[in-house]
Coordinates of all heavy atoms in Angstrom, one line a residue:
Y43 N 4.3 5.1 -2.5 CA 3.5 4.7 -1.5 C 4.1 3.7 -0.6 O 4.2 3.8 0.5 CB 2.2 4.2 -2.1 CG 1.1 3.7 -1.2 CD1 -0.2 3.7 -1.5 CD2 1.4 3.2 0.2 CE1 -1.2 3.2 -0.7 CE2 0.3 2.6 0.9 CZ -0.9 2.7 0.4 OH -2.0 2.3 1.4
S113 N -13.3 -3.1 2.7 CA -12.8 -1.7 2.4 C -12.9 -0.7 3.5 O -12.3 0.2 3.7 CB -13.6 -1.2 1.2 OG -13.7 -2.0 0.1
W114 N -13.9 -1.0 4.5 CA -14.0 -0.2 5.7 C -12.7 -0.4 6.5 O -12.1 0.6 6.9 CB -15.3 -0.7 6.5 CG -15.3 0.0 7.8 CD1 -14.9 -0.5 9.0 CD2 -15.9 1.2 8.1 NE1 -15.2 0.4 10.1 CE2 -15.8 1.4 9.6 CE3 -16.4 2.3 7.3 CZ2 -16.3 2.6 10.1 CZ3 -16.9 3.4 7.9 CH2 -16.8 3.6 9.3
I115 N -12.2 -1.6 6.6 CA -10.9 -1.8 7.3 C -9.7 -1.2 6.5 O -8.9 -0.4 7.2 CB -10.7 -3.3 7.6 CG1 -11.6 -3.9 8.3 CG2 -9.3 -3.5 8.0 CD1 -11.6 -5.5 8.4
Y116 N -9.8 -1.3 5.1 CA -8.6 -0.6 4.4 C -8.6 0.8 4.5 O -7.7 1.3 4.6 CB -8.8 -1.3 3.0 CG -7.7 -0.8 2.1 CD1 -6.5 -1.2 2.2 CD2 -8.1 0.2 1.0 CE1 -5.5 -0.8 1.3 CE2 -7.0 0.5 0.2 CZ -5.8 0.1 0.4 OH -4.8 0.6 -0.5
I117 N -9.8 1.4 4.4 CA -9.7 2.9 4.3 C -9.3 3.4 5.6 O -8.5 4.4 5.6 CB -11.1 3.5 3.9 CG1 -11.0 4.9 3.6 CG2 -12.1 3.2 4.9 CD1 -10.0 5.3 2.6
W118 N -9.7 2.8 6.8 CA -9.1 3.4 7.9 C -7.6 3.1 8.3 O -6.9 3.9 8.7 CB -9.9 2.8 9.2 CG -11.2 3.6 9.4 CD1 -12.4 3.0 9.2 CD2 -11.3 4.9 9.9 NE1 -13.4 4.0 9.5 CE2 -12.8 5.1 9.9 CE3 -10.4 5.9 10.4 CZ2 -13.2 6.4 10.3 CZ3 -10.9 7.0 10.7 CH2 -12.2 7.3 10.8
A119 N -7.2 2.0 7.7 CA -5.7 1.6 7.8 C -5.0 2.7 7.0 O -4.0 3.1 7.3 CB -5.6 0.2 7.2
V120 N -5.6 3.1 5.8 CA -4.8 4.0 4.9 C -4.9 5.4 5.6 O -3.9 6.1 5.6 CB -5.6 4.1 3.5 CG1 -4.9 5.3 2.6 CG2 -5.2 2.8 2.7
I121 N -6.0 5.8 6.1 CA -6.1 7.1 6.8 C -5.0 7.2 7.9 O -4.3 8.2 8.1 CB -7.6 7.3 7.2 CG1 -8.4 7.7 6.0 CG2 -7.7 8.5 8.2 CD1 -9.8 7.9 6.4
V122 N -5.0 6.1 8.7 CA -4.0 6.2 9.8 C -2.5 6.2 9.3 O -1.8 6.9 9.9 CB -4.3 5.0 10.8 CG1 -3.1 4.8 11.8 CG2 -5.6 5.0 11.5
T123 N -2.3 5.5 8.2 CA -1.0 5.4 7.7 C -0.7 6.8 7.1 O 0.4 7.3 7.4 CB -0.9 4.4 6.6 OG1 -1.3 3.2 6.9 CG2 0.4 4.4 6.0
I124 N -1.6 7.5 6.5 CA -1.4 8.9 6.1 C -0.9 9.8 7.3 O -0.1 10.6 7.2 CB -2.6 9.5 5.4 CG1 -2.9 8.8 4.1 CG2 -2.4 11.0 5.1 CD1 -4.3 9.1 3.5
T125 N -1.7 9.6 8.5 CA -1.3 10.4 9.6 C 0.1 10.1 10.0 O 0.8 11.1 10.4 CB -2.4 9.9 10.7 OG1 -3.6 10.2 10.3 CG2 -2.1 10.8 12.0
A126 N 0.4 8.8 10.2 CA 1.6 8.3 10.7 C 2.9 8.9 9.7 O 3.8 9.4 10.3 CB 1.9 6.8 10.7
V127 N 2.7 8.7 8.5 CA 3.8 9.3 7.7 C 3.9 10.8 7.8 O 4.9 11.3 7.7 CB 3.4 8.8 6.2 CG1 4.4 9.5 5.2 CG2 3.5 7.4 6.0
A128 N 2.8 11.5 7.9 CA 2.8 13.0 8.0 C 3.5 13.2 9.3 O 4.3 14.2 9.4 CB 1.5 13.6 8.0
E129 N 3.2 12.6 10.3 CA 3.8 12.9 11.6 C 5.4 12.6 11.7 O 6.2 13.4 12.2 CB 3.3 12.0 12.8 CG 1.7 12.5 13.1 CD 1.8 13.5 14.2 OE1 2.8 13.7 14.9 OE2 0.8 14.3 14.3
L156 N 0.4 17.5 4.7 CA -0.8 17.1 4.3 C -1.5 18.1 3.3 O -2.0 17.7 2.2 CB -1.7 16.9 5.5 CG -1.5 15.6 6.4 CD1 -2.3 15.7 7.7 CD2 -1.8 14.3 5.7
Y232 N 4.1 -2.9 1.4 CA 2.7 -2.7 0.8 C 2.6 -1.3 0.3 O 3.6 -0.4 0.7 CB 1.6 -2.7 2.0 CG 1.8 -1.7 3.1 CD1 1.1 -0.6 3.1 CD2 2.5 -2.1 4.3 CE1 1.1 0.3 4.1 CE2 2.5 -1.2 5.4 CZ 1.8 0.0 5.3 OH 1.9 0.8 6.3
V320 N 3.0 10.7 1.1 CA 1.7 11.3 1.5 C 0.7 11.6 0.3 O -0.4 11.2 0.4 CB 1.9 12.6 2.4 CG1 0.4 13.2 2.7 CG2 2.6 12.3 3.6
L323 N -0.5 8.2 -0.9 CA -1.5 7.7 0.1 C -2.9 8.4 -0.1 O -3.8 7.8 0.0 CB -0.9 7.8 1.6 CG 0.2 6.8 2.0 CD1 0.9 7.3 3.3 CD2 -0.5 5.5 2.3
Q324 N -2.8 9.6 -0.2 CA -4.0 10.4 -0.3 C -4.6 10.0 -1.7 O -5.9 9.8 -1.7 CB -3.7 11.9 -0.5 CG -3.4 12.5 0.9 CD -3.2 14.1 0.6 OE1 -2.9 14.6 -0.6 NE2 -3.2 14.9 1.8
A326 N -4.6 7.1 -3.3 CA -5.0 5.8 -3.1 C -6.3 5.9 -2.3 O -7.5 5.2 -2.6 CB -4.1 4.9 -2.5
G327 N -6.3 6.5 -1.1 CA -7.4 6.5 -0.2 C -8.7 7.4 -0.9 O -9.8 6.9 -0.8
S328 N -8.4 8.3 -1.6 CA -9.4 9.2 -2.3 C -10.1 8.4 -3.4 O -11.3 8.4 -3.6 CB -9.0 10.5 -2.8 OG -8.0 10.2 -4.0
L330 N -10.4 5.1 -3.3 CA -11.3 4.1 -2.7 C -12.7 4.8 -2.3 O -13.6 4.2 -2.4 CB -10.6 3.5 -1.5 CG -11.5 2.6 -0.6 CD1 -12.0 1.3 -1.5 CD2 -10.5 2.1 0.5
L331 N -12.5 5.9 -1.7 CA -13.8 6.6 -1.2 C -14.7 7.0 -2.5 O -15.9 6.8 -2.5 CB -13.4 8.0 -0.5 CG -13.0 7.7 1.0 CD1 -12.6 9.0 1.6 CD2 -14.1 7.1 1.8
L340 N -21.9 4.8 0.7 CA -21.7 5.6 1.9 C -22.6 6.8 2.0 O -23.1 7.2 1.0 CB -20.2 6.2 1.7 CG -19.0 5.2 2.2 CD1 -17.7 5.9 1.9 CD2 -19.1 4.6 3.5
L346 N -19.1 12.5 -2.5 CA -17.8 11.8 -2.6 C -17.4 11.4 -4.0 O -16.2 11.4 -4.3 CB -17.7 10.5 -1.8 CG -17.8 10.7 -0.2 CD1 -18.1 9.4 0.4 CD2 -16.3 11.3 0.2
A359 N -13.3 13.7 -2.2 CA -12.8 12.4 -1.4 C -11.4 12.8 -1.0 O -10.9 12.6 0.1 CB -12.8 11.2 -2.5
L360 N -10.6 13.6 -1.7 CA -9.2 13.9 -1.4 C -9.4 14.8 -0.1 O -8.5 14.9 0.8 CB -8.6 14.8 -2.5 CG -8.0 13.9 -3.6 CD1 -7.7 14.9 -4.9 CD2 -6.7 13.2 -3.1
V361 N -10.2 15.7 0.0 CA -10.4 16.7 1.1 C -10.8 15.7 2.4 O -10.1 16.0 3.5 CB -11.7 17.5 0.9 CG1 -12.0 18.3 2.3 CG2 -11.3 18.7 -0.1
V362 N -11.5 14.8 2.4 CA -11.8 13.8 3.4 C -10.5 13.1 4.0 O -10.3 13.1 5.1 CB -12.8 12.7 3.0 CG1 -13.0 11.7 4.2 CG2 -14.2 13.3 2.8
V363 N -9.7 12.5 3.0 CA -8.4 11.9 3.4 C -7.4 12.9 3.8 O -6.2 12.4 4.0 CB -8.0 10.8 2.2 CG1 -9.1 9.8 2.0 CG2 -7.7 11.6 1.0
T364 N -7.7 14.1 3.7 CA -6.6 15.1 4.3 C -7.2 15.7 5.6 O -6.3 15.7 6.6 CB -6.5 16.3 3.3 OG1 -6.1 15.8 1.9 CG2 -5.6 17.3 3.7
V365 N -8.4 16.0 5.7 CA -9.0 16.5 6.9 C -8.9 15.7 8.0 O -8.6 15.8 9.2 CB -10.4 17.2 6.7 CG1 -11.0 17.6 8.0 CG2 -10.3 18.4 5.6
V366 N -9.4 14.4 7.8 CA -9.4 13.3 8.8 C -8.0 13.2 9.5 O -8.0 13.0 10.7 CB -10.0 12.0 8.4 CG1 -10.1 10.9 9.4 CG2 -11.5 12.2 8.1
P367 N -6.9 12.8 8.7 CA -5.6 12.7 9.2 C -5.2 14.0 10.0 O -4.6 13.9 11.0 CB -4.9 12.6 8.0 CG -5.6 11.8 7.1 CD -7.0 12.5 7.3
M368 N -5.7 15.3 9.6 CA -5.2 16.4 10.3 C -5.9 16.3 11.7 O -5.3 16.7 12.7 CB -5.8 17.6 9.6 CG -4.9 18.0 8.4 SD -5.7 19.5 7.5 CE -4.4 19.8 6.3
L369 N -7.1 15.8 11.8 CA -7.8 15.8 13.0 C -7.1 14.8 13.8 O -7.1 15.0 15.1 CB -9.4 15.3 12.9 CG -10.2 16.4 12.1 CD1 -11.6 15.9 11.9 CD2 -10.2 17.7 13.0
I370 N -6.7 13.6 13.4 CA -5.8 12.5 14.1 C -4.6 13.3 14.6 O -4.2 13.0 15.7 CB -5.7 11.4 13.3 CG1 -7.1 10.8 13.0 CG2 -4.9 10.4 14.2 CD1 -7.0 9.4 12.0
C371 N -3.9 14.1 13.8 CA -2.8 14.8 14.1 C -3.0 15.6 15.5 O -2.2 15.7 16.3 CB -2.2 15.6 13.0 SG -1.5 14.7 11.7
L381 N 0.5 7.9 19.3 CA 0.8 7.6 18.0 C 1.0 6.2 17.7 O 0.5 5.6 16.7 CB 2.0 8.5 17.5 CG 2.3 8.4 16.1 CD1 1.2 8.8 15.3 CD2 3.6 9.2 15.8
V384 N -2.3 4.3 18.0 CA -3.2 4.7 17.0 C -2.9 4.1 15.6 O -3.8 3.6 14.9 CB -3.3 6.2 16.8 CG1 -4.0 6.6 15.5 CG2 -3.9 6.9 18.0
T385 N -1.6 3.9 15.4 CA -1.1 3.4 14.1 C -0.9 1.8 14.1 O -0.5 1.3 13.0 CB 0.2 4.1 13.6 OG1 1.2 3.9 14.6 CG2 -0.1 5.6 13.5
F387 N -2.5 -0.9 14.3 CA -3.5 -1.8 13.7 C -3.2 -1.6 12.2 O -3.7 -2.4 11.3 CB -4.8 -1.7 13.9 CG -5.6 -0.6 13.1 CD1 -6.4 -1.0 12.1 CD2 -5.5 0.7 13.5 CE1 -7.1 -0.1 11.3 CE2 -6.3 1.7 12.8 CZ -7.0 1.3 11.6
A388 N -2.7 -0.4 11.7 CA -2.7 0.0 10.2 C -2.0 -1.1 9.4 O -2.8 -1.5 8.3 CB -2.0 1.2 10.0
V389 N -0.9 -1.7 9.7 CA -0.3 -2.5 8.8 C -1.1 -3.8 8.8 O -1.4 -4.4 7.7 CB 1.2 -2.7 9.4 CG1 1.9 -3.9 8.5 CG2 2.1 -1.6 9.4
I392 N -4.1 -3.4 6.6 CA -3.9 -3.6 5.1 C -3.5 -4.9 4.7 O -4.1 -5.4 3.6 CB -2.7 -2.6 4.8 CG1 -3.2 -1.1 5.0 CG2 -2.0 -2.8 3.5 CD1 -2.1 -0.1 4.9
V463 N -12.0 -1.5 14.7 CA -12.5 -1.1 13.4 C -13.5 -2.0 12.7 O -14.4 -1.6 12.1 CB -11.3 -0.8 12.5 CG1 -11.7 -0.5 11.0 CG2 -10.3 0.3 13.1

Side-chain angles (χ1 to χ4, degrees):
Y43 183 153
S113 302
W114 175 261
I115 295 173
Y116 179 71
I117 189 60
W118 278 109
V120 170
I121 285 174
V122 170
T123 303
I124 293 171
T125 306
V127 172
E129 287 279 336
L156 290 167
Y232 63 89
V320 173
L323 283 161
Q324 284 182 346
S328 67
L330 174 59
L331 282 178
L340 284 174
L346 286 171
L360 280 166
V361 170
V362 172
V363 297
T364 301
V365 172
V366 175
M368 286 181 177
L369 295 176
I370 300 176
C371 285
L381 179 59
V384 167
T385 60
F387 91 97
V389 178
I392 287 174
V463 172

